[in-house]
Amino acid sequence: MTETEPALRALAHNVRAARTRAGLSLDELGRRAKVSKGALVALEKAQGNPNFATLVRLADTLGISVSALTEGRPQERVRVVAADAVMPLWRGERGSEARLMLTTAGPAATEVWRWRLEPGEEYPSHPHQNGVIETLSVTAGRMTLFVDGNEYAVEAGQTATFDGDAAHTYRGAGTGTCHLIMTVHLPPGPTPA
């Protein structure tokens, strides 16, 4: 068994359970999330290999966090998560990556991400559902944040926040690697599975 099989089985179970709770057929979820029915069937059979953008679209459509789709059941009252224990959900060609560390429970969940952006490498994110707020805290290096066509420089020691329902892109800037912690504050809704 490979390291990714348990994660893929958890993802398959969580997608199927969330779709069933939402009362959506495979066709309807696919239409709303802009994911093919074939890809959803494969995913729910733990045979798919969805990319990060697909996971975000599914989570937004189902009204849950990305980690509600990817994590197994929480087992402890306190969770301590090491960065190297979490597989990256996105990797850039130059070595950039994004790791979803955890999602807090409750009616208004918050995702906690670790990002590494190499100079000049970027990740364009589609707009999230209304009510999503993102906060980026740069711990080392520099980045450029693009929101709704506007450009913002964010450097080590600075934090930026914005409504995530606008088109946005993260880009590494300067000559060194940019490290940042991102929190994605989800609107109140169903508690993550």
Side-chain angles (χ1 to χ4, degrees):
M1 173 174 4
T2 67
E3 178 182 318
T4 59
E5 286 178 2
L8 193 53
R9 283 197 307 272
L11 177 62
H13 173 268
N14 293 341
V15 169
R16 187 172 41 255
R19 179 180 61 79
T20 301
R21 274 194 311 276
L24 297 175
S25 67
L26 284 166
D27 287 323
E28 184 62 14
L29 177 58
R31 184 186 67 74
R32 290 183 187 184
K34 298 180 177 90
V35 176
S36 74
K37 181 180 178 181
L40 286 174
V41 168
L43 179 58
E44 288 193 4
K45 290 182 177 180
Q47 298 169 343
N49 186 19
N51 64 32
F52 179 48
T54 298
L55 292 177
V56 171
R57 285 196 309 273
L58 286 171
D60 282 350
T61 301
L62 293 166
I64 59 177
S65 67
V66 173
S67 65
L69 293 179
T70 60
E71 291 180 349
R73 300 182 195 281
Q75 298 175 357
E76 301 290 330
R77 183 176 187 142
V78 174
R79 289 184 291 163
V80 177
V81 181
D84 60 355
V86 179
M87 290 181 52
L89 290 179
W90 171 75
R91 284 191 173 142
E93 292 179 7
R94 298 180 187 172
S96 298
E97 65 179 29
R99 295 173 188 255
L100 177 57
M101 300 305 296
L102 59 88
T103 300
T104 62
T110 300
E111 297 175 348
V112 179
W113 293 80
R114 283 184 173 271
W115 282 76
R116 183 176 73 218
L117 292 170
E118 295 301 329
E121 191 156 45
E122 66 180 38
Y123 180 81
S125 179
H126 76 284
H128 301 295
Q129 63 182 311
N130 190 32
V132 171
I133 298 171
E134 292 194 18
T135 302
L136 310 171
S137 294
V138 176
T139 60
R142 297 185 340 202
M143 70 171 292
T144 304
L145 171 65
F146 299 89
V147 178
D148 232 3
N150 296 309
E151 185 176 320
Y152 304 89
V154 188
E155 299 182 6
Q158 294 181 323
T159 299
T161 189
F162 62 96
D163 293 335
D165 60 354
H168 52 283
T169 299
Y170 326 111
R171 179 187 297 157
T175 57
T177 302
C178 176
H179 294 273
L180 64 110
I181 303 296
M182 174 197 301
T183 56
V184 180
H185 306 271
L186 304 170
T191 303

